[in-house]
Amino acid sequence: MAKHQSSPQSASSQGANSQDANHTLEPFFVLHKAQLQATVVEKVSKSRKGRKKGIESSPKSPEKSKRTTSDEQPSNTLYEQWRFKAFNEIWSLIQSSIEGVLRDINLKLFNEVLQWIEDSFSEIKSNVKLSSSEILQPYPLLADTLCRKIPTAFVLTKNAEFVDDIQTFCDLGSHLKANRCHVANMSALDFSLKFGIGGSVRSLLRQLHSEPLDGKIADMLTLAKWYCEEENNDKPIVVMIDDMECCNADVLGNFITMLSEWVMKIPIFFIMGVATTIEAPKNMLPSDALQHLNPCKLTLGTPSDRMNSLVESVLVKVCYCFSLGHEVSVFLRNYFLRHDGTITSFISALKLACSKHFSLESVSFLGLYMLDQDSEERWSEKFVYLPESMKRCVLNLHSCKSEKNLQGGVGSIVQQLSDLKASQRFWSSVVLCLFEVARYSKMQFLDIFCEATDPKMYCMNGSENSLKKHFRCGDKNSTARSSSGVGSITRVIHTIREMPVAALSNLLDKWNNHTEEMTEINEEVKKLQSVLASVDEGKVYEENLHNIRNRKSVSVISGKGNSANEKVAMLLDAMIRKYMKPLECMTLHEIICFRDVDVLQSGLIGDPRKTIQLDLLKCHSSLSCSCCSSDAKNLSPSMHDTSIMYKLAQEFGDVINLYEWYQSFKTVLTSSSQTSRKKGRPSPASKKAKPLPPSETEALIQARFCGAVTELQISGLLRMPTKRRPDFIQRIAFGL
């Protein structure tokens, strides 16, 4: 591995003036090292070695050996490209689904805001009609207090973390701009005490003006001149403040008071995000600012509602090409709850899980063809070009070791992949049916999803009896399990037994759409629909009312034998037992299922100091270097300087002697000549490169030493010397 060195000009000038270089360490700090001629020298030496080997080996010509190497090397690179392509396409599909879901959730709010602006703007135009000269007058119009109130919409976000609402307000601004509104997105930084009200007006004008404000005074008269222009007139100006509770109350109050004097001339609207309660503006703003606002209340969807939509659209409907194991699902649910229900953190964790899956699983690129209708043909074509080593990787998956049907070759593997795709489709349909019941009873979809992915609920031997026991609604522990999210499916079945006729009929209509691919189940759903159509709901209501008065159990639908509610519950139980087979119980599930919760946890929570230490101690594996030894005790001059320094630091205690540390580092760097003599053959680089003068060599080593020490300090592994003990450095990180 080539050394990354810095320019030795300044170091040599310092080293030449020093009398005793061994005891004088010049302060030469290098944080990032640039590549110099050492890389070129090493490439020349490698090419010479290659040509020499080609001449000495008589059976193979240089062209043939070069062709063989090029044929072997791109294979692994090609697989990485396939996995990278699969990740990009699948994540783009997931990302587009996420954006579509969030857009649909917020669309109702966006339309309400737009309708409110249009109604208020029409009312202002009907009451006040001013010419351009009247608008440009510097003094306010004489009007009553009611006309000087600014229409203000307080949007209750209900989020503890505002990171989810940033994109929502950006989308709202784009929606309003597309419907003939001037929009200025302002944040809490625009209402800081440091810049005052002048900074707020300047930020407002900067966003509305298409041209820079060079030489222009940032005041309301400039805004009035801009609004009087023909292309800007006859449109409302919407000032959006994403989180008003983080603004300085005095600056925001003065800003509101100033705009209220111009509201009759310039139609200005406020949209303010409120994270806590709707009473927050009253508790925060001064009274003179509040009297200039004409408020209305709007509410965003709750984080739980957004999470339900994401689970349904992303984790269930788009589960054929990438899915999560049970432990990973539980971890993501807890991660979401620990971060105060932040959707952004959940999406970031999901993306990390997807990237880890395609980077760690060698055959994960096969999951891309799950999206194609002719997936069997695509798999067959792909397996034709795969070498035997990659086919063995498929057969050596943990889920394939006990599968005897895969001994038939490519055809059996393709058939198992087709069965996996069909099983995922059926599993998705059943889970969607569960979600329809959960939506009625306002349950969390993520709890049901975690339980539906649990492989323990499905036993290959005696699965029917075990599942009946698992989903029995009369279980005494069902309430305790449901409170922790374990008995969610039990609650779903119990909810069906208590649903009224109208809700049950609506539920079956939705089940009819979800079970189109399951012919047998779909026919049973249609039969139940015909049964419910003949039920007299009024008669059932009177009978239930009579039972309540007599303190008897309420039966939603009476009849001979089982009621319709019980039949629907039994149908759902049959769907679960037959079709809801968790993915981890299927053969070849490793291709599309990510299960390594430890990798995900370390990537999200992390231990940066431990990771830095491991990277420094095992730099040969991180950099994929062949010239560095894998033994941690052997140090090579070609290693990175910081790695050499940290390995040498392991020989000291909590305090490192600076002079001894430097001498050890110098010994490692100057040991290259001794290593070449032991091999009995001088390296081509030593013949090509001219040796540096001793003073410049010493100065360069000192410069590299100081740079490595500074990097270790920035990494948080060392504490620099103090005036009391200038020759010693203290270690602040020990062990792994």
Side-chain angles (χ1 to χ4, degrees):
M1 181 178 67
K3 301 177 183 178
H4 304 281
Q5 300 178 354
S6 60
S7 176
Q9 295 178 358
S10 60
S12 62
S13 62
Q14 294 177 2
N17 297 329
S18 62
Q19 298 295 331
D20 189 2
N22 291 332
H23 296 277
T24 304
L25 301 179
E26 286 85 3
F28 191 94
F29 300 100
V30 181
L31 299 182
H32 300 284
K33 303 178 181 178
Q35 292 184 350
L36 284 184
Q37 298 178 355
T39 307
V40 180
V41 171
E42 186 179 5
K43 290 182 178 179
V44 172
S45 63
K46 289 183 178 180
S47 62
R48 288 181 178 178
K49 289 180 181 180
R51 288 198 299 267
K52 189 173 182 180
K53 288 182 179 180
I55 295 174
E56 292 177 354
S57 57
S58 56
K60 294 184 179 180
S61 63
E63 296 180 357
K64 187 174 181 180
S65 61
K66 185 177 180 180
R67 192 186 311 116
T68 305
T69 306
S70 63
D71 290 341
E72 293 176 356
Q73 183 65 23
S75 59
N76 293 330
T77 306
L78 183 61
Y79 298 145
E80 293 178 359
Q81 293 176 357
W82 287 350
R83 297 203 303 270
F84 185 69
K85 177 185 176 183
F87 166 73
N88 285 333
E89 293 189 15
I90 291 174
W91 180 251
S92 63
L93 175 64
I94 295 175
Q95 184 70 28
S96 61
S97 300
I98 293 173
E99 293 175 356
V101 167
L102 297 179
R103 191 185 308 111
D104 294 340
I105 292 175
N106 297 327
L107 187 60
K108 181 180 179 181
L109 173 69
F110 294 172
N111 292 331
E112 290 180 0
V113 172
L114 181 61
Q115 186 64 38
W116 166 75
I117 293 175
E118 291 177 349
D119 295 342
S120 301
F121 185 58
S122 300
E123 185 178 357
I124 293 174
K125 287 177 60 179
S126 61
N127 295 331
V128 180
K129 295 181 180 180
L130 301 176
S131 61
S132 299
S133 59
E134 292 176 327
I135 294 176
L136 293 177
Q137 290 177 359
Y139 52 85
L141 296 176
L142 295 177
D144 55 1
T145 307
L146 183 62
C147 296
R148 293 178 56 184
K149 288 191 174 183
I150 304 175
T152 305
F154 292 110
V155 180
L156 189 60
T157 60
K158 297 182 180 180
N159 284 332
E161 295 290 340
F162 188 72
V163 64
D164 284 349
D165 302 324
I166 296 176
Q167 187 61 39
T168 302
F169 277 88
C170 290
D171 294 340
L172 176 58
S174 302
H175 184 75
L176 296 178
K177 287 180 181 179
N179 290 274
R180 301 185 74 254
C181 293
H182 299 297
V183 179
N185 283 294
M186 305 182 70
S187 64
L189 298 176
D190 299 322
F191 299 95
S192 61
L193 189 62
K194 179 179 180 181
F195 300 104
I197 190 173
S200 305
V201 177
R202 191 177 298 108
S203 177
L204 175 63
L205 292 174
R206 191 184 300 115
Q207 295 192 51
L208 295 177
H209 263 271
S210 58
E211 300 178 357
L213 296 174
D214 299 336
K216 296 182 180 180
I217 301 176
D219 56 3
M220 292 303 299
L221 189 59
T222 305
L223 179 62
K225 292 179 181 179
W226 171 84
Y227 187 75
C228 287
E229 297 177 3
E230 185 177 356
E231 62 272 13
N232 301 325
N233 202 352
D234 201 25
K235 293 180 182 178
I237 298 177
V238 182
V239 180
M240 297 174 51
I241 304 174
D242 47 21
D243 190 2
M244 64 156 295
E245 294 172 277
C246 294
C247 301
N248 184 272
D250 295 332
V251 176
L252 181 58
N254 294 333
F255 185 73
I256 294 172
T257 303
M258 183 187 64
L259 291 183
S260 65
E261 298 176 354
W262 291 80
V263 69
M264 298 301 298
K265 301 178 180 181
I266 306 173
I268 298 176
F269 297 82
F270 273 132
I271 298 178
M272 300 184 183
V274 182
T276 55
T277 62
I278 201 62
E279 302 295 330
K282 296 181 180 179
N283 301 329
M284 172 186 170
L285 294 175
S287 58
D288 56 341
L290 286 173
Q291 68 181 0
H292 296 306
L293 298 180
N294 186 16
C296 73
K297 175 186 173 182
L298 298 173
T299 306
L300 272 176
T302 61
S304 60
D305 294 339
R306 280 178 278 182
M307 176 55 68
N308 286 345
S309 301
L310 286 178
V311 172
E312 180 180 6
S313 301
V314 177
L315 299 183
V316 178
K317 292 183 178 180
V318 191
C319 65
Y320 312 130
C321 48
F322 173 72
S323 187
L324 302 175
H326 173 65
E327 294 184 358
V328 175
S329 303
V330 173
F331 172 79
L332 287 180
R333 180 187 64 183
N334 298 333
Y335 185 78
F336 170 71
L337 297 176
R338 284 197 302 267
H339 284 73
D340 299 320
T342 307
I343 300 295
T344 305
S345 63
F346 181 84
I347 295 174
S348 302
L350 182 63
K351 184 175 183 179
L352 180 61
C354 186
S355 62
K356 289 293 184 181
H357 171 70
F358 285 98
S359 62
L360 298 177
E361 184 56 58
S362 58
V363 293
S364 57
F365 59 88
L366 296 174
L368 179 62
Y369 305 113
M370 290 279 186
L371 300 173
D372 300 334
Q373 294 183 354
D374 55 344
S375 54
E376 294 187 9
E377 298 179 2
R378 299 293 300 276
W379 282 322
S380 301
E381 294 175 359
K382 181 64 68 174
F383 273 105
V384 171
Y385 299 102
L386 290 181
E388 292 297 328
S389 59
M390 186 56 63
K391 294 178 182 178
R392 285 195 297 270
C393 289
V394 177
L395 296 175
N396 290 333
L397 294 175
H398 181 73
S399 61
C400 302
K401 292 182 179 179
S402 60
E403 186 66 36
K404 298 181 180 179
N405 297 330
L406 293 179
Q407 305 300 326
V410 175
S412 59
I413 297 177
V414 172
Q415 182 61 40
Q416 288 293 333
L417 288 173
S418 301
D419 294 343
L420 178 65
K421 178 180 178 180
S423 177
Q424 276 297 95
R425 270 202 318 269
F426 295 151
W427 177 88
S428 175
S429 300
V430 177
V431 174
L432 289 176
C433 293
L434 291 171
F435 285 173
E436 296 298 340
V437 185
R439 185 177 286 108
Y440 171 79
S441 58
K442 297 182 180 181
M443 296 171 57
Q444 298 301 316
F445 290 3
L446 195 55
D447 294 340
I448 298 176
F449 177 81
C450 291
E451 190 170 346
T453 56
D454 189 2
K456 295 181 180 179
M457 61 166 280
Y458 191 91
C459 303
M460 297 302 295
N461 297 324
S463 60
E464 182 174 349
N465 295 330
S466 62
L467 283 169
K468 281 185 177 180
K469 183 178 179 180
H470 184 82
F471 294 117
R472 188 169 60 245
C473 297
D475 196 345
K476 297 180 181 179
N477 299 325
S478 60
T479 304
R481 288 203 307 268
S482 62
S483 61
S484 60
V486 180
S488 300
I489 299 180
T490 298
R491 292 175 58 195
V492 168
I493 298 178
H494 185 69
T495 301
I496 293 177
R497 290 193 169 98
E498 297 178 345
M499 292 178 68
V501 177
L504 198 64
S505 178
N506 187 26
L507 175 66
L508 291 178
D509 292 338
K510 296 178 180 179
W511 281 13
N512 189 25
N513 298 327
H514 294 321
T515 59
E516 289 180 351
E517 296 184 358
M518 297 183 291
T519 308
E520 181 182 356
I521 300 296
N522 191 260
E523 292 178 355
E524 294 296 329
V525 171
K526 292 180 179 179
K527 291 180 181 179
L528 290 174
Q529 285 180 314
S530 61
V531 171
L532 284 178
S534 61
V535 173
D536 187 357
E537 188 172 359
K539 182 179 180 181
V540 173
Y541 176 78
E542 292 178 359
E543 182 178 352
N544 288 339
L545 186 61
H546 177 73
N547 291 335
I548 291 174
R549 291 172 179 173
N550 295 332
R551 296 182 180 181
K552 295 181 180 180
S553 60
V554 177
S555 176
V556 180
I557 299 178
S558 303
K560 296 180 179 179
N562 294 329
S563 64
N565 290 66
E566 188 65 30
K567 290 180 180 179
V568 175
M570 292 175 61
L571 176 61
L572 180 60
D573 182 71
M575 292 165 58
I576 292 172
R577 286 187 278 109
K578 187 173 183 179
Y579 294 105
M580 203 177 74
K581 185 176 182 180
L583 179 61
E584 294 182 68
C585 299
M586 297 293 296
T587 307
L588 300 177
H589 69 268
E590 293 90 347
I591 295 177
I592 62 173
C593 182
F594 178 72
R595 302 184 302 163
D596 200 338
V597 67
D598 295 331
V599 172
L600 181 60
Q601 184 174 0
S602 62
L604 290 173
I605 301 174
D607 190 353
R609 184 170 293 181
K610 177 180 178 180
T611 304
I612 292 173
Q613 294 182 76
L614 288 175
D615 290 340
L616 291 174
L617 294 176
K618 299 180 180 180
C619 61
H620 60 278
S621 59
S622 301
L623 301 177
S624 301
C625 179
S626 58
C627 61
C628 301
S629 174
S630 59
D631 189 2
K633 297 181 180 179
N634 296 333
L635 297 177
S636 172
S638 62
M639 289 182 179
H640 196 276
D641 294 344
T642 312
S643 179
I644 296 174
M645 294 281 289
Y646 191 69
K647 287 187 176 183
L648 292 173
Q650 305 302 309
E651 301 175 1
F652 299 90
D654 56 345
V655 177
I656 303 174
N657 187 295
L658 195 61
Y659 174 74
E660 294 179 0
W661 199 18
Y662 171 75
Q663 290 297 328
S664 301
F665 178 70
K666 179 180 177 181
T667 303
V668 173
L669 295 185
T670 56
S671 64
S672 57
S673 59
Q674 300 177 0
T675 306
S676 61
R677 291 195 197 100
K678 290 180 181 180
K679 293 182 179 179
R681 182 184 302 172
S683 62
S686 62
K687 295 180 182 179
K688 183 73 176 178
K690 295 181 179 180
L692 295 173
S695 59
E696 294 185 10
T697 304
E698 188 69 30
L700 181 61
I701 293 176
Q702 291 182 14
R704 294 170 63 180
F705 177 81
C706 292
V709 171
T710 305
E711 289 187 354
L712 291 175
Q713 179 203 8
I714 294 175
S715 303
L717 303 178
L718 298 177
R719 184 177 291 123
M720 297 301 282
T722 60
K723 294 182 179 179
R724 185 177 179 182
R725 304 183 69 181
D727 296 335
F728 292 90
I729 289 181
Q730 184 177 0
R731 293 177 60 189
I732 55 178
F734 300 91
L736 295 175

